[in-house]
Amino acid sequence: MERFGARYLEERKLIQRWPQPIPAIVALVLTLAVFYATWWIFQDPRGWLRMYTPYVGYMYTRWWLIMLIWMVYIFNYWPFKRNWLERTHPVVKGVILTAISVAILLVLIKGFFESLLGNYGIAYFNPDNLMKLPKMTEFFALEYASLACLMFAAIASWLSPAWVVACEEVPWQDMNQPGKGISILVMTFFLSTLVFFMTMHSHMGILYYPWQYFTSIAPPYWEKFANTVSGNFHVAWIMCCTVTVWLVETIWERFPFKLIRRDWLRRVTAFFGIIAIAWAMHFFLYFAQELTWGPAIRGTRLINAPDWRWLHVGEMAVFFLVPALFLNFYCGNWPRRFSLPVNVLIRTAITLAAAVLLYIFYYATSHDFLGTQKGFMHEQQFPMIPTIWLINIWLAHHWFMDNWPAWKMEPKTAEEITRDHAAERAQLAEIRWSPALGWGLGVGTVCGVAFYFFVLNILPWAYKSITVIK
């Protein structure tokens, strides 16, 4: 039975052409060159197509991410056969699969959201229909329609991989493609629709005057709790969910959830555990802004406003994802020499440190290189767009092109696959209750609490001492 690309990523062997760090440097230089060239062509306000308006560019960026996830994680490269994936040159494979992802992207946005939903369901998905409203300008009609579409994408970019990573494709894991892919797609799209209407629809309803009381909850139910009527409150925790899913899948290797032996308990715990971790990140990053810039004041704008700070939570979260994916894709998920918990701890520490440095570097230089506006809080400063654009390029390079040219791909033999599975089982078997594990958990808890209070004390000092933007 043809498996198409099921487990292709796990069963391929990427062989470095040179010793590290040369392959990682080559991959970084190559992908950054592609990033900057494509950014200039499609996104940069000084470039050709100038899609960074910012919402139009963000809409296409976010939906392209989902197309890549659908093609690889949900449909397992269907309809391309495993033999084609293994034998086709990486450049040819990358061009064909990327072109297909863009074609599906255009059909979905222009056909499904704009033409179908925008004409026969909900007007705010179609900018032409929004133009019929009194005093609505063409620019804001396009921005509002793009905002609605990308808000749906934000939810789908969390739930689509979560069903694979946390729920392990259940109950369709044994189905053949495309039946399995269609089933998972329909389920996650249905869940995304429910979450959209409960979190984002009311945000769209209050963008127009008078508020749309009879088609949305106005003011939204989260107003008093989040201190804002803006849907940015939900954008923040949903973005944290997206980041957490990929942290669990990459540098955490699905730890600690895969330690749970009972299948249904592992899947339920992983799905809601990811949400719990994301909410902890969500509130901490908001609290960190209050420590840095002072309490938020409702009624103000930009850096002091609660709605911007909730949005900035999502922006900060995505900075963690960039180094995590680079560590996984191009550094072999280094380190691997220690026990799984220690490896995960070291990778997480590296990711945190790299995210802070990337955050500082981005805000200090992005206005010079990317055409964004200088500052933290300008309406034309959306770090989620260039960071996810870079991530999309990495995904295409890693998933479609097998990290070419610094790596070459060879299929693993049956013996190698069996040996890998045995090694993973042995690694998990080592993590069992013992006095040493108890001491480790205790010390880890104490260190975690100490680190939390250390961060609380260092943030105000860091804000006063480090000048990011002159």
Side-chain angles (χ1 to χ4, degrees):
M1 183 66 67
E2 176 60 59
R3 294 191 300 149
F4 296 98
R7 299 192 65 83
Y8 171 74
L9 298 179
E10 296 85 352
E11 296 176 1
R12 66 178 179 175
K13 182 167 55 177
L14 297 181
I15 302 174
Q16 298 173 178
R17 297 183 187 273
W18 314 285
Q20 285 284 18
I22 297 176
I25 295 173
V26 170
L28 181 61
V29 171
L30 175 63
T31 54
L32 285 179
V34 174
F35 164 81
Y36 198 73
T38 54
W39 181 266
W40 178 265
I41 294 171
F42 295 103
Q43 298 279 10
D44 199 310
R46 306 161 300 180
W48 292 357
L49 298 182
R50 303 178 184 178
M51 294 164 59
Y52 185 94
T53 59
Y55 286 134
V56 173
Y58 191 15
M59 173 184 66
Y60 283 101
T61 300
R62 202 58 181 264
W63 273 111
W64 187 26
L65 170 65
I66 299 170
M67 294 305 102
L68 300 173
I69 294 171
W70 284 359
M71 290 177 64
V72 175
Y73 261 56
I74 293 181
F75 281 91
N76 303 137
Y77 297 91
W78 179 86
F80 296 95
K81 295 185 177 181
R82 184 64 168 264
N83 185 59
W84 183 85
L85 294 172
E86 293 176 349
R87 297 192 177 187
T88 306
H89 191 278
V91 175
V92 175
K93 187 165 56 175
V95 169
I96 293 175
L97 293 175
T98 301
I100 291 174
S101 70
V102 173
I104 301 173
L105 165 71
L106 294 175
V107 170
L108 184 74
I109 292 177
K110 294 297 182 181
F112 179 76
F113 281 103
E114 188 173 315
S115 298
L116 184 62
L117 282 185
N119 286 326
Y120 303 105
I122 306 173
Y124 58 63
F125 282 111
N126 189 317
D128 292 334
N129 284 332
L130 293 184
M131 282 292 293
K132 299 174 184 178
L133 295 173
K135 300 181 181 180
M136 177 63 73
T137 65
E138 181 179 1
F139 173 80
F140 280 105
L142 185 59
E143 289 294 278
Y144 286 175
S146 300
L147 174 63
C149 196
L150 76 87
M151 281 181 161
F152 196 103
I155 301 166
S157 64
W158 153 44
L159 290 172
S160 295
W163 200 271
V164 177
V165 174
C167 300
E168 300 171 359
E169 302 178 334
V170 171
W172 305 287
Q173 72 275 20
D174 296 324
M175 286 183 64
N176 298 323
Q177 293 289 4
K180 179 172 73 172
I182 293 173
S183 300
I184 297 175
L185 176 63
V186 170
M187 170 57 76
T188 54
F189 205 88
F190 167 71
L191 292 176
S192 298
T193 303
L194 286 180
V195 177
F196 177 85
F197 278 107
M198 291 188 295
T199 59
M200 304 301 189
H201 178 67
S202 293
H203 175 86
M204 300 305 299
I206 64 172
L207 290 179
Y208 314 99
Y209 183 81
W211 285 359
Q212 307 301 295
Y213 293 99
F214 297 103
T215 59
S216 64
I217 306 300
Y221 62 86
W222 61 82
E223 176 190 11
K224 293 182 180 180
F225 177 75
N227 201 29
T228 180
V229 296
S230 172
N232 286 343
F233 170 74
H234 296 293
V235 171
W237 71 262
I238 290 169
M239 189 66 226
C240 289
C241 283
T242 302
V243 171
T244 305
V245 166
W246 289 109
L247 292 179
V248 170
E249 175 70 342
T250 56
I251 62 172
W252 292 359
E253 300 182 61
R254 303 193 184 185
F255 175 84
F257 305 111
K258 67 179 182 180
L259 298 178
I260 303 174
R261 301 292 191 266
R262 195 176 296 274
D263 291 342
W264 70 266
L265 182 60
R266 179 179 64 254
R267 292 158 186 160
V268 171
T269 304
F271 186 83
F272 290 102
I274 287 171
I275 297 175
I277 295 171
W279 273 83
M281 182 190 302
H282 173 236
F283 287 118
F284 178 77
L285 293 178
Y286 187 86
F287 181 41
Q289 294 179 78
E290 295 205 330
L291 290 173
T292 303
W293 292 315
I297 304 171
R298 187 170 180 178
T300 57
R301 298 183 67 243
L302 300 179
I303 202 167
N304 292 318
D307 58 323
W308 181 84
R309 291 198 181 179
W310 287 122
L311 174 65
H312 197 54
V313 166
E315 293 174 339
M316 288 191 288
V318 79
F319 282 104
F320 297 113
L321 187 55
V322 175
L325 292 182
F326 184 84
L327 196 62
N328 181 262
F329 290 174
Y330 303 120
C331 300
N333 232 8
W334 183 89
R336 288 184 172 275
R337 58 178 298 184
F338 308 108
S339 65
L340 180 59
V342 174
N343 290 339
V344 169
L345 179 62
I346 295 174
R347 293 171 198 154
T348 304
I350 293 172
T351 298
L352 289 174
V356 172
L357 294 177
L358 180 61
Y359 180 93
I360 295 173
F361 176 78
Y362 175 85
Y363 280 105
T365 64
S366 65
H367 49 275
D368 294 322
F369 300 105
L370 301 178
T372 61
Q373 293 297 314
K374 189 174 183 179
F376 286 103
M377 76 300 290
H378 195 279
E379 290 89 342
Q380 282 288 99
Q381 179 58 281
F382 254 78
M384 281 190 282
I385 305 176
T387 49
I388 296 178
W389 188 263
L390 176 61
I391 288 171
N392 290 344
I393 292 171
W394 283 353
L395 291 176
H397 185 234
H398 184 65
W399 287 350
F400 294 167
M401 301 180 64
D402 304 315
N403 288 2
W404 182 90
W407 282 261
K408 62 179 179 179
M409 194 282 293
E410 290 183 3
K412 292 180 181 178
T413 64
E415 292 77 11
E416 288 175 321
I417 295 172
T418 301
R419 189 164 57 248
D420 288 346
H421 290 168
E424 183 178 11
R425 289 193 297 269
Q427 187 182 49
L428 293 178
E430 292 178 356
I431 309 173
R432 58 182 183 273
W433 179 255
S434 66
L437 179 60
W439 278 105
L441 291 175
V443 172
T445 301
V446 172
C447 290
V449 173
F451 180 74
Y452 172 78
F453 285 103
F454 170 75
V455 172
L456 297 191
N457 283 277
I458 201 174
L459 276 174
W461 170 85
Y463 174 70
K464 294 178 182 178
S465 303
I466 301 174
T467 302
V468 177
I469 302 173
K470 296 181 180 180

